[in-house]
Amino acid sequence: MKLNTKIIHAGVDPDPSTGAIMTPIFQTSTYVQTGPNEHKGYDYSRAGNPTRTALETAFAALENAKHGLAFSSGVAATDAVIRLLKPGDEVIAANDMYGGTYRLFSKLWADFGIKFIYIDTTKTEHISAAITGQTKMIWLETPTNPLMNITDIEATAAIAKKAKALLVVDNTFASPYLQNPLDLGADIVMHSATKYLGGHSDVIMGALMMNDDSLREKLFFIQKSSGAVPGPMDCFLVLRGVKTLHIRMQRHCENGRKVAEFLAGHPKVKKVYWCGFENSNGYAVARKQMRDFGGMMSFELADESVDAAIKVLKGTRIIALAESLGGVESLINHPATMTHASVPREERIKNGLSDSLIRLSIGIEDADDLIDDLKLAIG
Ligand SMILES: *Cc1c(COP(=O)(O)O)cnc(C)c1O
């Protein structure tokens, strides 16, 4: 079955007791048993809930995976993955990934004896060079947030396999519509379903997808034991959201291209970071591993002062100033003070994320209106 069909039908079977075509919201904590431990597959909603099962089946289908697991947030999904490790283990991670992932790694997990090595993963030889006998995991984000750096997933998977380390890819920015890391050799895909999967900025959720049965068992055990599970109402909302992922993504990509080209041609814009430009660093790899280039981009003004950036951030009328991304509405954001405030300034600048960088999540409005809005704000 092709993706566009799977997105709509995976996990969703008519309710056997009523015929309802939509998966009911099973707002229940427990399930009546006919005898001790004799039940219909559900005993307590932390371990399993039918609305969540439907969504987890859909998650698996989206990434061509055998298994899917839903978490109460993207960072809860990331946290569950790190719980696969033990003190002394090393993780190689990208140096410009999502600020909340960096915070979880460096401020929480580093205290438990897990070592994180942050490198520029866009050059896979840097990854090979960072491998030691203790390397147990490689954590990739591609495209990265917010500089849209691209790392070759297939090449990294080969390095991980040789090192007997797990390759985990945060696929939030691309969405499964544009990129499927498991097909390229990754072991686990992670999503902040808060973003494109949910798609409507109305829910916080995380997802993990994997093929390996024993990996699924370990992660399911962590999910059930540490309990960061989403409620049935949120599962219903994301299940509804994923059904339009393909048509939303088509428009995000179309609008993304139009806005990126407009910005690139604007005399007051110095640089646009968008992986669909043929002259961008990651273009060749992006072409190889992604189906299109999406609606995420960042840019810097020719006037590099923070004040000039703030004027643009405050100046848009349709594009809202807010954290997050991947919803139907366009958002503008200042990584230095918003999404990446938890990354130390020195580290941020070293990784190329300037104080004046502006990030855009281009939504599915009319592109002409978005361009007019940016024209007005940039002046
Ligand atoms: C938002 C985001 C996360 C964290 O997900 P939450 O749902 O906010 O917990 C992780 N990675 C990326 C790339 C994100 O954009």
Side-chain angles (χ1 to χ4, degrees):
M1 206 186 281
K2 298 223 168 90
L3 186 72
N4 293 353
T5 312
K6 277 203 295 191
I7 275 175
I8 290 170
H9 294 284
V12 181
D13 295 312
D15 176 49
S17 63
T18 61
I21 190 162
M22 288 302 140
T23 309
I25 303 163
F26 284 94
Q27 197 73 49
T28 187
S29 62
T30 192
Y31 307 81
V32 176
Q33 308 195 5
T34 45
N37 210 27
E38 278 175 31
H39 52 72
K40 299 184 165 74
Y42 296 95
D43 56 3
Y44 188 61
S45 279
R46 173 155 38 73
N49 173 288
T51 317
R52 196 170 96 215
T53 304
L55 177 64
E56 290 179 333
T57 307
F59 278 167
L62 287 175
E63 287 287 6
N64 297 324
K66 207 163 152 197
H67 309 291
L69 292 170
F71 291 81
S72 55
S73 67
V75 292
T78 301
D79 185 75
V81 172
I82 300 302
R83 284 170 195 272
L84 294 167
L85 302 172
K86 297 209 162 41
D89 289 351
E90 291 182 8
V91 180
I92 298 172
N95 62 5
D96 69 336
M97 60 188 178
Y98 177 69
T101 306
Y102 176 82
R103 180 173 56 200
L104 175 65
F105 288 180
S106 62
K107 298 281 187 343
L108 288 179
W109 279 111
D111 285 347
F112 291 86
I114 293 164
K115 194 169 161 200
F116 296 92
I117 294 119
Y118 304 100
I119 60 161
D120 171 5
T121 56
T122 62
K123 304 210 169 45
T124 43
E125 59 269 27
H126 292 176
I127 305 177
S128 306
I131 299 274
T132 73
Q134 274 63 54
T135 306
K136 292 286 151 56
M137 190 177 284
I138 301 174
W139 188 281
L140 278 195
E141 219 181 286
T142 180
T144 60
N145 176 12
L147 291 172
M148 310 305 295
N149 285 321
I150 305 287
T151 295
D152 188 326
I153 298 172
E154 206 167 13
T156 310
I159 297 168
K161 192 165 232 138
K162 207 168 134 213
K164 296 195 168 56
L166 290 174
L167 174 60
V168 189
V169 179
D170 179 340
N171 203 27
T172 302
F173 259 45
S175 91
Y177 179 78
L178 296 183
Q179 176 174 282
N180 299 116
L182 296 178
D183 293 346
L184 300 168
D187 298 290
I188 302 173
V189 170
M190 176 262 159
H191 279 277
S192 169
T194 312
K195 317 295 167 54
Y196 286 108
L197 296 182
H200 295 75
S201 309
D202 52 8
V203 67
I204 298 284
M205 195 184 291
L208 297 178
M209 295 82 158
M210 72 286 320
N211 284 320
D212 186 78
D213 295 339
S214 79
L215 209 46
R216 190 263 173 198
E217 280 321 301
K218 285 181 197 161
L219 288 163
F220 171 69
F221 183 78
I222 292 168
Q223 181 199 40
K224 154 175 110 169
S225 305
S226 58
V229 291
M233 180 69 200
D234 286 355
C235 292
F236 175 84
L237 285 173
V238 175
L239 197 53
R240 177 150 101 162
V242 295
K243 287 178 193 164
T244 54
L245 179 70
H246 56 313
I247 52 172
R248 284 187 283 111
M249 287 311 298
Q250 281 162 18
R251 184 61 68 85
H252 283 299
C253 291
E254 265 172 49
N255 284 0
R257 174 172 294 283
K258 286 182 188 161
V259 173
E261 282 170 357
F262 157 74
L263 287 171
H266 198 291
K268 288 191 180 173
V269 173
K270 188 179 82 178
K271 183 164 172 127
V272 184
Y273 299 86
W274 181 64
C275 56
F277 288 131
E278 280 183 40
N279 61 357
S280 77
N281 285 339
Y283 182 75
V285 178
R287 271 292 305 254
K288 185 176 76 154
Q289 67 192 17
M290 296 171 72
R291 297 182 190 94
D292 204 339
F293 304 106
M296 292 304 303
M297 68 196 68
S298 296
F299 66 101
E300 280 159 349
L301 298 170
D303 176 349
E304 290 172 43
S305 70
V306 178
D307 286 351
I310 288 176
K311 202 170 142 262
V312 175
L313 289 153
K314 283 184 165 176
T316 54
R317 294 182 186 170
I318 296 168
I319 308 176
L321 175 62
E323 300 206 0
S324 200
L325 61 107
V328 290
E329 62 288 303
S330 296
L331 299 178
I332 193 164
N333 160 299
H334 186 220
T337 57
M338 295 168 69
T339 45
H340 288 62
S342 56
V343 182
R345 182 169 187 272
E346 205 180 308
E347 185 91 357
R348 220 182 357 91
I349 304 280
K350 199 177 77 195
N351 300 334
L353 203 165
S354 69
D355 287 333
S356 59
L357 189 82
I358 297 169
R359 189 187 82 184
L360 285 169
S361 169
I362 295 301
I364 65 169
E365 301 96 332
D366 193 294
D368 292 342
D369 289 330
L370 300 177
I371 288 170
D372 284 347
D373 202 30
L374 286 165
K375 260 186 205 157
L376 185 77
I378 297 170

